[in-house]
């Protein structure tokens, strides 16, 4: 299995850090993480994909991890979507795209609004056009809470994360957690993403009901326009994507394949990695076996 750390170019020439795992000649699977995460969120998944015969490409979205920050504060959903289109069009073949939360919204807009035909398939990870407002605000509220003040130590950050995800218990303060933190000159530790990103998200979530309805209609229309293989993986305990949201997606895009991961929250990959990997690999093999997948 080959592994290479590299960079890819997003929209407007923004540099995005990426990691490629697997045979470069195999069917590419492009993984777009959720807001506030980095490509490390896919670490076990990329190994599973490579072992199944795919070439996994996980990247840090703009303003996240080791990728460049937008000097103009360009963190609208369409900005993330244009990055996905830019990456996909520079690849030698259309990739299968797996997008979690923010990455899934970007995938919907990229394929359904900006450039249909850019992807070979799309997997949405606990995201749909209709989202529960309370669940959305819980996620973005957590991200906003310490964006200005940071943490006195990685141990304090670990305690905060444990309070946000009590079902997982307290995580350690090793290299994994430190990858999500940056220590500044004041000695405090801050999240490893551009604060302008969460300010942009919060402004959108606090916008008028008319604007929020427009966003819902845009995502619904995007989903309705999709003709490529589409897969929704929902956490069974998700407070962001409800069964009603699933029903709505199935109504506007009837060809959607649906997998529910029992017991998993919105953070499906981290909660149930093995079940998640199995679900996406089965879907990808069904639709892309003839595209370089090892039988």
């Amino acid at each position: 299995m080959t592994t290479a750390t590299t960079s890819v170019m997003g929209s407007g020439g923004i540099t995005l850090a990426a990691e490629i795992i697997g045979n470069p000649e195999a069917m590419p699977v492009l993984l777009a993480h959720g807001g506030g995460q980095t490509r490390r969120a896919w670490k076990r998944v990329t190994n599973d994909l490579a072992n199944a015969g795919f070439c996994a490409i996980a990247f840090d979205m703009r303003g996240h991890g080791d990728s460049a920050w937008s000097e103009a504060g360009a963190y609208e959903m369409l900005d993330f979507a244009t990055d996905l289109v830019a990456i996909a069009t520079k690849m030698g073949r259309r990739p299968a795209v797996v997008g979690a939360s923010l990455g899934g919204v970007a995938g919907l807009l990229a394929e359904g609004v900006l450039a249909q035909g850019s992807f070979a398939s799309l997997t949405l990870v606990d995201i749909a056009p209709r989202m529960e407002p309370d669940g959305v605000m819980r996620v973005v509220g957590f991200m906003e809470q310490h964006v200005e003040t940071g943490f006195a130590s990685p141990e304090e950050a670990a305690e905060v994360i444990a309070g946000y995800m009590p079902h997982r218990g307290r995580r350690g303060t090793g290299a994994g957690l430190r990858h999500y933190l940056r220590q500044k000159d004041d000695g405090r530790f801050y999240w490893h993403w551009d604060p302008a990103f969460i300010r942009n998200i919060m402004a959108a979530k606090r916008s008028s009901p008319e604007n929020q309805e427009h966003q819902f209609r845009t995502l619904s229309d995007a989903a309705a326009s999709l003709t490529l293989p589409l897969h929704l993986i929902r956490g069974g305990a998700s407070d962001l994507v409800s069964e009603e949201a699933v029903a709505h997606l199935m109504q506007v895009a009837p060809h959607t394949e649906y997998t529910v991961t029992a017991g998993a929250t919105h953070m499906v990959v981290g909660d149930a990695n093995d079940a998640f990997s199995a679900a996406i690999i089965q879907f990808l093999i069904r639709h892309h076996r003839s595209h370089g997948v090892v039988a």
Side-chain angles (χ1 to χ4, degrees):
M1 183 189 304
T2 60
T3 302
T5 300
T6 184
S7 63
V8 292
M9 299 304 293
S11 175
I14 194 167
T15 303
L16 307 175
E19 193 164 342
I20 303 173
I21 300 177
N23 179 0
E25 301 301 317
M27 174 72 192
V29 181
L30 185 62
L31 299 128
H33 60 74
Q37 296 184 314
T38 72
R39 67 186 188 273
R40 286 183 62 88
W42 305 107
K43 187 171 184 179
R44 291 174 60 190
V45 177
T46 54
N47 288 329
D48 292 338
L49 285 166
N51 288 331
F54 296 94
C55 179
I57 304 103
F59 72 101
D60 290 342
M61 300 183 80
R62 62 169 58 206
H64 290 69
D66 297 321
S67 288
W69 291 10
S70 169
E71 294 182 2
Y75 296 115
E76 299 289 341
M77 293 300 168
L78 281 174
D79 293 316
F80 294 101
T82 55
D83 285 341
L84 277 176
V85 173
I87 296 169
T89 55
K90 291 182 179 70
M91 301 177 73
R93 59 205 294 190
R94 291 184 303 158
V97 174
V98 180
S101 199
L102 170 65
V105 172
L108 267 178
L109 294 174
E111 179 69 21
V113 175
L114 297 179
Q116 195 165 70
S118 296
F119 308 153
S121 65
L122 177 61
T123 295
L124 305 175
V125 186
D126 209 66
I127 201 69
R130 174 170 289 161
M131 294 167 265
E132 295 298 315
D134 289 347
V136 173
M137 291 308 297
R138 188 182 77 87
V139 173
V140 296
F142 166 76
M143 295 172 63
E144 183 189 40
Q145 186 176 8
H146 293 275
V147 69
E148 299 293 346
T149 59
F151 307 94
S153 66
E155 288 75 16
E156 181 185 352
E159 291 293 343
V160 170
I161 294 170
Y164 174 66
M165 298 186 292
H167 61 290
R168 288 200 204 171
R170 189 183 185 282
R171 69 182 298 170
T173 56
L177 175 59
R178 290 176 181 272
H179 187 80
Y180 287 92
L181 299 170
R182 287 179 177 174
Q183 189 174 22
K184 294 187 178 181
D185 292 341
D186 62 3
R188 295 183 66 82
F189 293 82
Y190 296 82
W191 294 125
H192 205 271
W193 36 263
D194 188 348
F197 158 69
I198 195 60
R199 296 190 194 107
N200 186 303
I201 295 294
M202 291 303 293
K205 297 308 175 188
R206 290 168 176 156
S207 62
S208 68
E210 292 77 14
N211 285 341
Q212 294 182 33
E213 178 65 19
H214 174 72
Q215 293 168 16
F216 164 66
R217 292 296 176 194
T218 298
L219 291 176
S220 295
D221 291 346
S225 73
L226 298 180
T227 58
L228 81 179
L230 180 62
H231 187 198
L232 169 63
I233 302 179
R234 172 181 174 267
S238 172
D239 62 351
L240 198 146
V241 177
S242 64
E243 286 291 353
E244 290 75 18
V246 176
H248 171 260
L249 178 60
M250 299 291 286
Q251 179 182 16
V252 299
H255 68 292
T256 303
E257 299 180 35
Y258 174 46
T259 302
V260 60
T261 305
T265 68
H266 180 59
M267 310 294 285
V268 181
V269 182
D271 288 347
N273 185 88
D274 291 346
F276 175 81
S277 287
I280 62 168
I281 288 170
Q282 289 166 13
F283 170 79
L284 293 172
I285 287 177
R286 281 198 302 275
H287 293 282
H288 307 302
R289 180 179 289 278
S290 63
H291 297 277
V293 177
V294 177

